Every structure is written in C-alpha cells, then in structure tokens.
Amino acid sequence: MSATPGTDHDTARHALLTMWTIRRFEEAVDDLFARGLMHGTMHLSIGQEASATGACLALRTDDAITSTHRGHGHCIAKGADLTRMMAELLAKETGYCRGRGGSMHIADTATGNLGANGIVAGGIPIAAGAALAFKMRAEDRVVACFFGDGAANEGAFHEAVNLAAIWKLPVVFICENNKYGMSFSTEKSFAIENISERAAAYGIPGTTVDGNDLDEVYGAVSAAVDRARAGEGPTLVENVTYRWKGHSKSDKNLYRTKEEIAEWRAKDPILRFEARVKESGLLTEEEVQLIRTQAMEDMRAAVREANAAPDADPSDLLDAVFARA
Amino acid sequence: MSSTQTSTSADLGTDRVITYSEAVREAIGQAMEADDRVFMLGEDIGVYGGAFGVSGDLYHRFGAERIRDTPISELGIVGAAVGAALVGMRPIVEIQFSDFTNQAMDQIVNQAAKIHYMLGGAMSVPMVLRAPLGSGTGAAAQHSQSLEAWFAHVPGLKVVMPATAADAKGLLLSAIDDPNPVIVLEHKLLYRTSGPVPEEAVRVPLGQSAVRRRGEHLTIVGTGVMVSRALEAAEVLAADGIDVSVIDPRTLTPLDDAPIHEDVSRTGRALLVQEAPGHVGFTAELSARIAESPTIYRLLAPVRRLSGLDAPIPYAPQLETASVPQVADIVESAKTLVKES
C-alpha cells in the first residue's frame, strides 16, 4: 500500500506512469491489430486506467488479484512485465502463457495476478477461494477481484459474494461499471441505481465512486483492503467508468452515440489526474512530460523485444494439458 | 502399464473389511492428518455427516474450518476450491449428487480443467471433486445420472470411478496427491458394499486398469457398479460353461487400455457395459479403440455394447431397473455374443 497518490510525490509519479503505460499499451495493441499484425481478439481498457491503477496502488505485492477479459490494465497495474504481455498477444513462446492463452488468460504468479478470465464472472468465485486459503492459513493477504457491470448479473457473482460475506473473507469486490455489457446498457440490465446497492443483500458494505478519479478509487479500495486485512470481511466497491473503445474487434458502436463517447473522453482519468497534480505542485510539467515519454518508450521496447522473440512452439501441446507431480 | 487384480484379501494383504463409504472417509481423514493443505468443502458435510453419510465423524475430528459446510451454491463452492487450489491448498469438494455438477460446470470445465494449459503451465489446480452418481435409489431423473463421459471429454480433467472399497480409498488418495483437477464419481449403490481395505494409506495409481477375473471365452469391461454386476454375471455364466474375464478400467482419464486389448485379443469377444446411455458414451470410446487397433483382427464376433437406455432415469422401481443393465441383462448379452460366434 502506498501513500495517497494525490498528495505524495513518488506515488503520484508511479500512478501517472502506470496509467500512461496502460494507455500506450492498449493503443499499441489496437494499432497492431488494425494493421493485421496481431491475431485473435482483444478487449481494451482505454478510459478505465484510474480504476485498475487506483485499486492496485492499495495492494501489497503479495496480495492477489483476479481479472477479466478486459484485463491488460489490471495486469500492468499489479506489476506485470510488459514484454511478456506483448509477447503473449503476439503469439510468442516467451509470452506469459507461451501462446496458449492470449489476451484473455494472462496471469503472473510473481505479482499475485491469478489470471484474467474469458468467462464473465468466472474469476469471482476463484477470488473468494484464494481469500479463503489466505484466511485458513492465517496470512494477512487480501484478494482484489475485478469484474464488470455485466458480471454482477451472473449467478457466480451472487454465490461468491455470499460465500465471502458469511465467511468474512479478505476480498475486495471491485465492479468496474463501464456502462455496457457488450452492447447492453446498465440502464437496461439493472433495476437499481448503483450496483453497489447489491452489497446490502449480502450484509457487507458497498460504495460507488467516480472510477475516473484516481484518488477516489484509491481511497475506497484502501478502506476496503484495510477492512479485509483486519478480518472484517469483504466490501463491494463500484468504480463508475467508461470504455472509449468498442467491446472487442467486432464492435461497430451501434448502441451508443458519438456524443456520449465524446462526453466521457472529456472525463479522461489520466488528464484529470495530471491537471490535479500539476495544479497542486506535486509534479512539474517537466516531470509529467518525462513520465509520458517513459511510458511510450517502455511500450515501444516491449513491442520490439516481443517481436524479436521466437513464435509459440506447437511441438509439446499435449504434454502441457496436465501438470506433473 | 501392467494390470493388477485387487479384489481379494490376499491380493491386498489385509483381512480387514470395511464399507466403501468408510473407505472414502478413511482416505480423507488420512490425507488431512498428513497434510494441512487438505480440507473439505460441501453441503451438509459437517454435523449432518453428508447426504450419503460419507463425511461422517470427520467434522468432529477436524472441526468446522477444515470440514467446511457450505450454502447450496455449487458454482460458488467449486470456484472457491479452484481459487484455494491456485494458491496452494488441496481442496476436496463434495457435490451432493453428481447431477448438481451441472450448476458448477463453468468452474469445472472452463476454469479448473483449462487453467494449467491456458496459462502456459504457470499454475495448476490440485483439487478433487467427489460426487455420487448413478441410479437405483428411486430418486428419478435429476438425481440419478451417470455423466462420466462428459467429464472424460474435457481435456485437463482426470476422471475416476472406483468400484471397490479398496479402490475407493486408494484412488482417492492418489486423486488428492495429484496436481490436477480430479473428478471422483462414486456409485451410490456401492456406498454400503464392503470389501478388504488396507489400514495404511496405500495409493492406487490413476491410469491402471484392474483385471477382476480372468476367463477364456469373453471379456467384459465395465466401471463402477457394473463391475460387481459383471462379476455376479460371470458366476451365472460359469455354471453354463461360459468363462469370462472382467476388466475394470478404474480411471476413464487417464485410460489404461492395454489390458483390454490384451484380454480381448485372447478371448476374441468384447462386451462393454455401462449404466450411462449408450449414445456417445465411454464404451463407444473403448469400442473405437478396439476397432482402431490390431485387436480387431482377433475378434470372433462384433464388439457388443450394453448400456443404459437413451432416456432419463424414471422413478418407478420397475421402470428404473429396466433402464439400466442388470445382472440378467449382462448374462443374456454374454450368451448371445458367445453363441453368435
């Protein structure tokens, strides 16, 4: 856990670099895909950087996360290696999953990332189970469980939140409400105002924050992490945010207006944080420019190194199905 | 891999006889004593002792933390087991009836089975899911299915069907040791059956068929409750001068088919028996393996499959009995097969 990003120089620098790194990584993926240099599909988190970054700032390295199909940001914010991520997306042997998983299945044991997930709500019961293990072993570790608004209507969400509540498990449920489950808006898919209201049904605290405000996200998740670490059980934190890009490559944006997208672009979480820390004098304009440059250079280096790596090797596909004793 | 016969006291080196459910309980108890990472999750496994009485007194021995009663949330509890396994625990989930695994299929099929492979080997899911399967209790269509072929069709899952008390213990111990998700399907009619079981924690390896009986004229292959039915049928057939082998693969995945090829090549006849519906079932896989190998040249008659009806399991006792192979059906099929050739 770090000092509040909006008031501490080093934390602010780290947070801004993380957000720019996520943005540049996602833009690079978008570009590589558009140019036919990347295979498969991907789900970009441009516009949601403050949610992943603010939440992970509230965690220790030995805390765990579970992530989603839109998971690049969580992965980077928890400390993953950019080159290995990019190598995975570019179908290389040096990728996190040796080309077996791709964008939706990156995990990183070194940073406690238990994995992105291709199934909506698939990671939520897994997060509860990891938290159960931590509690049974009396370790003071916490699990942050990321999922989207769509997942809150899956049975897995309700079963897992209930289990975590009755067993007071050290888990923070972080709902990234980006307004759409693919094309279906939250106005249509929920009869409640805030998804965090669902916490009451399980007897746990729930809170809704501006997910594009890094300090707000950090504050809410920190409080929830403290509560979890103290043995007081789970919290549901809803980060209200927006994805600028489509759901995935097939998205033609038929379900929302250009005006709506423009409105949310104006609430850019990175520029908002930059303006705040410059205004308060926490970071100078020069420092901000250096951070932007470093994010771009880090991403370019990752693409370069990943491109030079050997392609994923099909020779031992069957050997990898089962783990060996 | 060599096959073994493990159905008699002499083979097992013990005279101690306990029930199948006691054997399962003993395996769990010994695994929990030996390894703090092992714990159990399931519905009514605590004070209640399990719907089929399998967990019994484990709650009193190990306490509520490790014999963990859960709400009725199959998807949640299987997912919790996956998560706990990912961070180093060795959970054993009891699903009250194997039919209820349908509630948890995402966690079994999309998560547990695939995580090791999908993550390029970075993590594994060492968990056991135990569940009673099969008909014969008048519980009708949603409490009586045999879904083993579903699980066996998913790469990444190991599938175990113990037929004897000794195997119920020995295979479960191996399943708990295994670094992969293992589905252990226990036939409900076997829980009260008894047999010799070693007191020590003797492992029966996964992927080793058992030859339960060796005969000259015909090879019967079956798993679970069909093993004891085939052995009973063998006695009836012996009185008619028909001498049969009975082979129990014990684990569907990994499958040790060498003893089947070897025995069928010798007898020239194969009768493949299962309680599950025949259409696209496990015995269809066995039949294909015979057809795809030189074993086919040794056949004196076409392979014969005897399966449950391609219908849900009905309630009325006479309808339920008529829906799955009984001893008399095995006898009749065996006689027909021998007479045909």
Side-chain angles (χ1 to χ4, degrees), chain B residues 27-169:
Chain B
I28 296 169
Q30 289 177 347
M32 288 181 62
E33 276 167 9
D35 187 345
D36 287 343
R37 299 173 303 172
V38 180
F39 72 106
M40 200 176 164
L41 282 159
E43 295 157 10
D44 310 299
I45 61 170
V47 174
Y48 194 100
F52 287 88
V54 172
S55 51
D57 65 349
L58 290 174
Y59 175 82
H60 298 289
R61 288 176 56 201
F62 295 99
E65 275 286 299
R66 293 180 74 196
I67 302 294
R68 186 170 285 266
D69 261 328
T70 68
I72 304 165
S73 293
E74 289 82 8
L75 179 62
I77 63 181
V78 175
V82 174
L86 276 177
V87 296
M89 300 295 278
R90 295 267 171 169
I92 303 170
V93 177
E94 175 174 302
I95 295 295
Q96 200 160 74
F97 285 79
S98 61
D99 312 71
F100 309 162
T101 58
N102 287 303
Q103 300 271 45
M105 270 309 177
D106 174 57
Q107 287 295 330
I108 299 169
V109 174
N110 289 325
Q111 312 294 341
K114 294 180 174 52
I115 283 173
H116 175 73
Y117 183 88
M118 211 158 58
L119 303 188
M123 294 190 207
S124 59
V125 185
M127 64 174 278
V128 174
L129 186 155
R130 294 178 38 249
L133 99 167
S135 68
T137 64
Q142 296 171 337
H143 289 71
S144 303
Q145 293 167 88
S146 297
L147 300 175
E148 67 272 19
W150 288 20
F151 298 113
H153 197 67
V154 178
L157 296 177
K158 295 190 176 180
V159 184
V160 179
M161 289 181 74
T164 67
D167 279 358
K169 180 175 176 182

Side-chain angles (χ1 to χ4, degrees), chain B residues 174-217:
Chain B
S174 293
I176 296 166
D177 290 342
D178 202 279
N180 296 285
V182 183
I183 310 293
V184 181
L185 299 166
E186 299 158 356
H187 200 290
K188 335 177 158 83
L189 296 182
L190 295 175
Y191 281 133
R192 290 183 184 174
T193 63
S194 300
V197 178
E199 287 186 43
E200 303 74 34
V202 178
R203 269 76 177 159
V204 174
L206 307 184
Q208 195 173 73
S209 292
V211 178
R212 304 292 185 187
R213 179 190 170 110
R214 195 70 89 172
E216 298 303 314
H217 304 123

Side-chain angles (χ1 to χ4, degrees), chain A:
Chain A
M1 192 172 134
S2 316
T4 308
T7 58
D8 178 76
H9 175 271
D10 288 352
T11 313
R13 197 190 167 284
H14 173 72
L16 190 57
L17 178 60
T18 304
M19 290 199 289
W20 274 121
T21 305
I22 296 170
R23 176 74 54 92
R24 295 302 179 225
F25 184 91
E26 299 288 50
E27 287 170 349
V29 170
D30 200 24
D31 176 62
L32 286 164
F33 191 82
R35 289 194 285 143
L37 300 173
M38 193 175 275
H39 164 78
T41 190
M42 85 288 298
H43 307 84
L44 303 175
S45 66
I46 296 176
Q48 304 183 191
E49 294 89 348
S51 175
T53 304
C56 289
L57 268 179
L59 301 173
R60 299 193 317 222
T61 305
D62 67 338
D63 289 330
I65 64 165
T66 60
S67 174
T68 70
H69 58 287
R70 200 174 307 287
H72 303 160
H74 309 137
C75 204
I76 292 169
K78 196 69 177 65
D81 181 88
L82 286 186
T83 303
R84 289 189 69 196
M85 283 179 72
M86 194 56 87
E88 183 59 30
L89 271 60
L90 287 168
K92 301 294 186 173
E93 188 66 26
T94 56
Y96 266 109
C97 314
R98 303 177 62 211
R100 272 75 167 157
S103 165
M104 285 189 280
H105 302 295
I106 295 176
D108 182 24
T109 47
T111 59
N113 181 351
L114 300 180
N117 209 304
I119 304 296
V120 170
I124 309 180
I126 293 174
L132 173 63
F134 294 160
K135 181 173 174 143
M136 288 179 76
R137 297 196 298 241
E139 295 170 9
D140 70 340
R141 296 161 72 187
V142 169
V143 185
C145 171
F146 291 101
F147 55 93
D149 46 280
N153 284 331
E154 287 277 11
F157 165 81
H158 298 276
E159 294 196 20
V161 173
N162 186 56
L163 285 183
I166 61 169
W167 292 336
K168 288 194 181 305
L169 300 180
V171 54
V172 181
F173 296 107
I174 302 172
C175 179
E176 298 187 309
N177 176 0
N178 67 10
K179 299 288 190 187
Y180 293 93
M182 204 155 159
S183 70
F184 207 57
S185 72
T186 50
E187 282 76 25
K188 292 175 184 164
S189 59
F190 291 87
I192 49 175
E193 179 109 359
N194 294 312
I195 294 171
S196 65
E197 291 167 39
R198 291 201 168 159
Y202 301 101
I204 64 169
T207 182
T208 297
V209 300
D210 179 347
N212 282 13
D213 185 319
L214 184 86
D215 288 308
E216 269 202 40
V217 171
Y218 173 81
V221 176
S222 287
V225 166
D226 289 347
R227 190 171 175 275
R229 223 184 290 286
E232 291 164 27
T235 303
L236 173 58
V237 177
E238 177 187 11
N239 295 339
V240 178
T241 183
Y242 197 79
R243 63 167 153 76
W244 295 6
K245 293 284 178 174
H247 163 75
S248 68
K249 68 179 182 181
S250 66
D251 195 331
K252 296 181 184 68
N253 273 326
L254 300 175
Y255 51 89
R256 56 183 187 175
T257 62
K258 284 186 179 123
E259 291 73 25
E260 182 184 291
I261 298 171
E263 193 183 306
W264 278 92
R265 277 178 173 263
K267 299 180 196 169
D268 185 329
I270 308 182
L271 297 185
R272 275 173 74 183
F273 185 72
E274 264 187 10
R276 182 179 304 163
V277 292
K278 281 195 289 187
E279 196 183 312
S280 70
L282 205 54
L283 296 180
T284 63
E285 174 62 28
E286 192 188 358
E287 284 175 305
V288 166
Q289 290 309 323
L290 281 173
I291 287 166
R292 288 182 174 212
T293 307
Q294 189 185 334
M296 181 63 88
E297 283 174 359
D298 289 351
M299 182 278 297
R300 283 185 178 146
V303 174
R304 200 164 50 238
E305 285 171 37
N307 265 323
D311 289 339
D313 176 8
S315 67
D316 65 347
L317 283 174
L318 279 177
D319 290 342
V321 175
F322 289 106
R324 289 179 208 286

Side-chain angles (χ1 to χ4, degrees), chain B residues 131-334:
Chain B
L133 99 167
S135 68
T137 64
Q142 296 171 337
H143 289 71
S144 303
Q145 293 167 88
S146 297
L147 300 175
E148 67 272 19
W150 288 20
F151 298 113
H153 197 67
V154 178
L157 296 177
K158 295 190 176 180
V159 184
V160 179
M161 289 181 74
T164 67
D167 279 358
K169 180 175 176 182
L171 291 167
L172 181 54
L173 285 167
S174 293
I176 296 166
D177 290 342
D178 202 279
N180 296 285
V182 183
I183 310 293
V184 181
L185 299 166
E186 299 158 356
H187 200 290
K188 335 177 158 83
L189 296 182
L190 295 175
Y191 281 133
R192 290 183 184 174
T193 63
S194 300
V197 178
E199 287 186 43
E200 303 74 34
V202 178
R203 269 76 177 159
V204 174
L206 307 184
Q208 195 173 73
S209 292
V211 178
R212 304 292 185 187
R213 179 190 170 110
R214 195 70 89 172
E216 298 303 314
H217 304 123
L218 165 71
T219 306
I220 302 177
V221 185
T223 54
V225 78
M226 289 302 151
V227 175
S228 51
R229 286 188 192 161
L231 288 168
E232 223 180 295
E235 295 299 321
V236 177
L237 290 162
D240 271 358
I242 298 174
D243 187 18
V244 307
S245 290
V246 175
I247 298 181
D248 171 10
R250 301 200 280 199
T251 58
L252 281 61
T253 309
L255 177 59
D256 169 29
D257 59 0
I260 299 170
H261 288 295
E262 189 187 309
D263 204 74
V264 172
S265 296
R266 201 170 46 76
T267 64
R269 300 179 184 93
L271 175 60
L272 312 175
V273 189
Q274 68 178 22
E275 175 167 330
H279 185 62
V280 202
F282 172 61
T283 52
E285 172 66 24
L286 296 179
S287 179
R289 289 192 182 212
I290 292 169
E292 288 171 343
S293 75
T295 310
I296 195 171
Y297 300 121
R298 311 293 292 274
L299 291 178
L300 301 170
V303 167
R304 193 176 176 95
R305 286 188 293 150
L306 178 63
S307 313
L309 298 180
D310 288 315
I313 299 293
Y315 161 69
Q318 66 278 22
L319 304 184
E320 186 179 28
T321 304
S323 296
V324 302
Q326 306 296 324
V327 174
D329 302 315
I330 300 173
V331 170
E332 192 191 321
S333 280

